[in-house]
Amino acid sequence: MNKYISLSRLRMLFRHDLTSYAKEKVMVAALIFVPTFLAYFISEHVMWLTVLLLFISLFTALFAPFYLASHICANMRTKQDAIQFAMLPATNVEKFLVRFVDYAFLPTVIVILAVAAIGLVTGFLYSLGHFDKLIEAVDYFLKVTEEQWQVVFSQLHEHLFTFNAFSFLVLTLISYGFDISIAVLGGCIFKRFALVKTWLCYLLIAVTCGSFFSGAFVHHFEGIFVNFSDNSDVFLREVWIQIGILSALIVASLYGSYTLFKRKQIL
């Protein structure tokens, strides 16, 4: 191949990948969108089922991006599938880039669009007076977890609306990117139940490191939260140290994922 990365090959690969594996993305959008509107039709009759449907939508929106990211190598689970994928006329970089976009980036976009669509439709129906019962169900769902929501919103109000909101936002996005990169790495290591195994390994490593460096971690994070509302150089330095560490770990995870991704095509 005369080019390391070709836009025409990327388009061909992405079109092939999107049409061949669109079922999972459609299922994610459906699990977010459909239960919400089923809840509307039954909200007058069965409150507990309405809350359950809303929980399914919320759970899918939160965890589907990580689940799909861990399936980046799902098209190479068998030797025959790996050979067929290896025979595609594209470089390894192009293949990895397309699979990463399709399984690590696109699901997040789908979730955002599905939630936005729900907001627009429910807002329109509520303006017509047809969504009162579902709003009551949402209120009931929030009341069930009132204490947890109060903690979340109080922290957001205290931390997000400060002079350091930009740093907090960058740290949040980088943390999300780190979690996605870990899911991708786990998908390149494990063939079955990749996300569950990845989280178990992640938890084991976190507990092990915490037992050896708990004092340093406590001191480090205590410096962040004690100075969170204080517009000081101490807070900014602590936050950007975290951002730098997580960014380096993201690069390392993606490099490791790419290395394993290449090997899976020749094993």
Side-chain angles (χ1 to χ4, degrees):
M1 296 183 185
N2 56 356
K3 289 184 179 181
Y4 199 61
I5 295 180
S6 169
L7 292 179
S8 61
R9 289 199 299 264
L10 284 176
R11 285 196 298 268
M12 180 271 294
L13 278 175
F14 189 72
R15 189 184 305 112
H16 171 269
D17 209 64
L18 195 61
T19 55
S20 301
Y21 306 99
K23 183 179 179 180
E24 295 170 322
K25 288 81 174 179
V26 174
M27 184 65 68
V28 167
L31 284 176
I32 297 174
F33 203 81
V34 174
T36 302
F37 290 95
L38 288 178
Y40 165 68
F41 291 108
I42 66 172
S43 58
E44 296 184 1
H45 309 288
V46 188
M47 181 63 71
W48 69 267
L49 185 56
T50 302
V51 174
L52 177 62
L53 290 170
L54 293 174
F55 176 77
I56 291 174
S57 294
L58 179 62
F59 182 84
T60 304
L62 291 176
F63 291 100
F66 304 104
Y67 174 77
L68 289 179
S70 68
H71 279 59
I72 188 172
C73 292
N75 63 334
M76 295 184 287
R77 283 178 176 170
T78 66
K79 186 175 182 179
Q80 182 178 0
D81 292 338
I83 293 175
Q84 290 179 350
F85 186 65
M87 294 297 292
L88 291 176
T91 64
N92 289 323
V93 173
E94 291 167 341
K95 293 175 183 177
F96 180 77
L97 184 60
V98 168
R99 293 291 294 181
F100 179 82
V101 171
D102 198 15
Y103 276 82
F105 177 75
L106 190 59
T108 301
V109 176
I110 292 173
V111 168
I112 293 174
L113 293 178
V115 172
I118 289 175
L120 291 174
V121 175
T122 54
F124 174 73
L125 292 175
Y126 182 70
S127 67
L128 299 178
H130 298 309
F131 235 59
D132 294 341
K133 290 296 182 181
L134 184 57
I135 298 301
E136 292 178 9
V138 174
D139 291 338
Y140 177 77
F141 175 74
L142 294 177
K143 288 179 181 178
V144 171
T145 56
E146 182 177 2
E147 183 177 347
Q148 290 81 1
W149 287 112
Q150 285 180 349
V151 173
V152 171
F153 286 121
S154 64
Q155 290 179 348
L156 286 176
H157 183 270
E158 179 182 355
H159 300 323
L160 194 57
F161 299 103
T162 63
F163 180 76
N164 298 311
F166 174 75
S167 300
F168 181 79
L169 178 61
V170 173
L171 179 60
T172 302
L173 294 176
I174 291 295
S175 298
Y176 178 78
F178 170 72
D179 292 335
I180 290 292
S181 69
I182 291 297
V184 170
L185 179 60
C188 293
I189 296 174
F190 305 110
K191 286 187 176 181
R192 302 288 181 180
F193 306 105
L195 186 61
V196 175
K197 293 177 181 178
T198 301
W199 279 353
L200 289 176
C201 293
Y202 182 74
L203 180 62
L204 179 62
I205 293 173
V207 171
T208 303
C209 292
S211 63
F212 286 103
F213 305 105
S214 58
F217 282 148
V218 169
H219 176 73
H220 189 71
F221 286 105
E222 184 181 42
I224 292 179
F225 290 106
V226 167
N227 297 281
F228 211 112
S229 59
D230 182 16
N231 302 323
S232 64
D233 294 337
V234 175
F235 163 73
L236 291 175
R237 184 179 69 249
E238 295 289 336
V239 169
W240 285 101
I241 286 175
Q242 290 297 308
I243 292 172
I245 293 174
L246 290 176
S247 299
L249 291 175
I250 289 174
V251 173
S253 297
L254 293 180
Y255 179 77
S257 299
Y258 173 67
T259 302
L260 295 172
F261 183 86
K262 289 191 300 182
R263 292 188 58 194
K264 279 184 175 292
Q265 298 179 70
I266 59 177
L267 291 179

